[in-house]
Each structure stands twice: as structure tokens, then as C-alpha cells.
Amino acid sequence: MKFLLFLILTATQAYAHEKIFKTKADKVAFGVFTQQKFHQWPFPLLSIGHNMQSYQDYSGSPYWHDGLDIRANEDEKIFSATGGKVINIENYVRGNHLYWEIAILDEEGFVWKYHHVSKESITQEIVNAYKTGTKILEGTLIGNVVKWPTTSFGEVYNHLHLLVVAADGRYINPFLMMSPLNDTQVPVINKIGLAKNHKPIEGIEVKGEHSLFLEASDLVQHQKFILPPHKISYRLNNEAEKVVWTFINLPSGKNDTDYINDFYMKGTCGDYSCRKFYFNLNFSPEKPRDVFQLEAGNHEIEVTVEDIAGNKATKNFKWKVL
Ligand SMILES: [Zn+2]
């Protein structure tokens, strides 16, 4: 009986969602998505090298990483996580052999982009499917991961850069689509503190307009490749929880640079040899660099960070407004 009731409720809810959201891609984008079927990883991964919210800055113009860097052994074979139509085979950085893309449109309207496939290894089946429009099956061999020339933190960095794009062009967190990983590493809050003009400052006393920074990190099956957490939230002076952001998708939606310099504060770095994240706790897409309007006196904040596996860390910070 209970089971029957559960079925009816689930069906009713699903129907309600179905009316508003035409595709699963819409559901993900609006955060009401519950995964029915997880996809298999394209190969047994070594670790996650970057997640979608990773801060990237190699030349002074920062951007969101957008997808997952799935670290691989040298020459690892890539198997398609979904079936679907091969809609692109492209050298997207012309003349550079590191940047080959295979894109597959799945049955639910998501485009899966596999980056850093070695050109010579792209299989005939994929090439034919692209030419003829024939659908491929889940688990089809795409090719091999290209040998990456740069090491990072003393580690070989061969990786597949996997992007998932919804029908409306928004990037979706690929983690939501994949079989959950065994991730027991709890995110770490290193520091919470005061900020002025979008820059962390020392001390616990402040005059006038100010905001707060959070310095935090997470790891997934690795000890060096630190990542930004999946969710950041806080309770200010014991008020209700406020979510700064949950990375179901990016606050920027389609664009990989929008808000990056608002969400991350000055002092943040993200390249082959430096990873440090100063998050702006006052961030929201409506008021990207808002400041706290607080009365003079003592204040307290309880910050919580969470990874996608649900591991959580909480830390408090007290300060005085003069
Ligand atoms: Zn990448």
C-alpha cells in the first residue's frame, strides 16, 4: 500500500514538473532535477582535476572552467557516457593537436563535449557516425586521451575535459549526470574574514561598508588538486540560512567569464602551479558585490561548505563593526 502511494505521489510530481519543464535539461537548469539514471564515467578515473566552478587564470583574464577535468592514465581509452548523435568533430584551437573535440547529442537534449581526444585515435565508428548521422550506443569507443605536455603540482596531467551543455546553451555540472564517486574527503574552510573593496583584509574590526571572504577548498580522490566546493551557504547572526551559490550550473549561465571576478575576490589564483580561492560571501547574481549593512556592534557568521557527495564543513567568524 505504502509503495503504491509512493508510486502515485512520484508520478504526480513528475507530471507536475513535466508540464513546466519540457526536457530533462530544463529540469537541471531550474534545479528541480532528480537523476533517474546515472551515466558511467568514460574510463576509470584517477581523480578530478578541476570541476565546473574552478577558477582559471593563465593569462590575466580569468574564466570558469565550465566542465570536469577527469584525470586519466596515459593513452586512456574514452568510452561515450551516453548514446546519441555525433554532432561535431573539431580541432577547436586550430593547429594545436591538444584541442580536439568530439560532441555527442544525447536523447534528452544534452550535448556532451569530450575535449583533449588524441586526433589519431578517433575511431572510424565515430567518424562514420558523424558523416552519416547514425546514432551511436552508450559505451562506444571514441578515442584516447591526448598526452598532456604540462605537469601540475608535480603530477602528470593527462585528462579528459568533459562539458555538458543544455538545450538552451547553459553549462550543466557534469557531476550531476555521472555515477556518484566514492568521495569521503570533507571540504576545508581555511579562513573567514573581513573584506574591503573586494579584497580580504586582516583583523576582526571594521569601519563602514565591508563584505566577507571565505577561503575554502575541496578534494576529490586526490591530495593536491584543490577544488572550489559545490555549495556555499551561511547564517548571519543566527538568521535563516542563505545560499551564496550551488553549482548545479554557473551563475553566469552560458558565458564562461560573467561574474567570475565578482564570485572570486582579489588574491584568488588558479593555474598549473597555484590554486587558492577567496570566495565573496556577499555574492549574488542580482547584486554581485553587495556589502553588509550592519549596525555598530558585534556580529557573527556561520559558514557551511558542501561537496557534491554531501560532505560538509562549518566554521564561525565573529567581528565588530565600529
Ligand atoms: Zn579542463
Side-chain angles (χ1 to χ4, degrees), residues 12 17 41 46 50 57 66 68 73 83 86 88 107 115 117 122 131 173-174 177 189 195 234 264 277 279 283 289 301:
T12 315
H17 284 158
W41 292 85
L46 295 180
H50 277 298
D57 183 7
D66 294 339
L68 283 185
N73 282 314
V86 179
N88 198 29
E107 300 288 348
H115 285 187
V117 182
I122 298 170
K131 281 186 191 152
N173 191 341
M177 322 295 267
I189 295 180
Y234 66 76
Y264 289 98
F277 312 122
F279 304 103
F283 174 82
R289 292 189 189 184
I301 196 166

Side-chain angles (χ1 to χ4, degrees), residues 6-239:
F6 169 78
L7 273 184
I8 293 167
L9 279 175
T10 313
T12 315
Q13 281 171 1
Y15 179 68
H17 284 158
E18 228 44 68
K19 288 212 296 197
I20 312 167
F21 305 109
K22 287 194 199 75
T23 64
K24 195 155 117 185
D26 286 341
K27 294 183 202 171
V28 176
F30 286 92
V32 295
F33 176 72
T34 46
Q35 181 65 272
Q36 301 298 314
K37 175 189 173 270
F38 290 116
H39 296 280
Q40 290 306 308
W41 292 85
F43 48 80
L45 69 163
L46 295 180
S47 79
I48 296 299
H50 277 298
N51 57 18
M52 88 174 315
Q53 62 268 33
S54 284
Y55 177 93
Q56 306 277 279
D57 183 7
Y58 298 94
S59 62
S61 41
Y63 60 94
W64 304 95
H65 183 254
D66 294 339
L68 283 185
D69 272 0
I70 308 171
R71 291 186 58 245
N73 282 314
E74 192 173 332
D75 230 19
E76 184 72 79
K77 286 188 168 65
I78 305 161
F79 296 94
S80 178
T82 70
K85 256 181 117 168
V86 179
I87 56 166
N88 198 29
I89 301 179
E90 187 189 352
N91 185 204
Y92 61 95
V93 177
R94 281 273 167 85
N96 190 326
H97 76 287
L98 299 173
Y99 299 96
W100 278 86
E101 167 183 294
I102 309 292
I104 295 165
L105 172 65
D106 77 9
E107 300 288 348
E108 293 170 307
F110 295 102
V111 175
W112 296 64
K113 296 184 175 182
Y114 299 81
H115 285 187
H116 313 320
V117 182
S118 135
K119 185 200 174 196
E120 295 71 32
S121 73
I122 298 170
T123 59
Q124 203 53 49
E125 188 175 355
I126 292 292
V127 175
N128 289 344
Y130 180 49
K131 281 186 191 152
T132 62
T134 320
K135 284 181 183 164
I136 61 152
L137 295 173
E138 179 186 331
T140 299
L141 180 61
I142 292 173
N144 299 16
V145 174
V146 77
K147 188 176 162 59
W148 203 253
T150 317
T151 56
S152 182
F153 298 94
E155 304 258 335
V156 177
Y157 201 71
N158 298 316
H159 64 286
L160 168 69
H161 180 113
L162 176 67
L163 293 154
V164 179
V165 188
D168 66 357
R170 276 183 286 193
Y171 292 106
I172 302 301
N173 191 341
F175 261 132
L176 296 166
M177 322 295 267
M178 309 308 288
S179 182
L181 294 175
N182 176 26
D183 172 21
T184 53
Q185 285 173 291
V186 180
V188 178
I189 295 180
N190 294 308
K191 209 172 174 189
I192 303 162
L194 295 164
K196 277 259 191 197
N197 304 317
H198 207 56
K199 195 178 169 185
I201 58 167
E202 294 291 330
I204 53 162
E205 289 187 348
V206 69
K207 233 181 175 173
E209 273 197 353
H210 65 280
S211 54
L212 291 176
F213 77 87
L214 160 73
E215 203 245 293
S217 63
D218 186 33
L219 290 164
V220 181
Q221 300 189 354
H222 201 266
Q223 297 309 317
K224 292 179 186 171
F225 296 124
I226 66 163
L227 309 165
H230 180 61
K231 179 180 174 183
I232 300 173
S233 63
Y234 66 76
R235 277 154 46 95
L236 175 65
N237 294 323
N238 282 314
E239 289 164 12

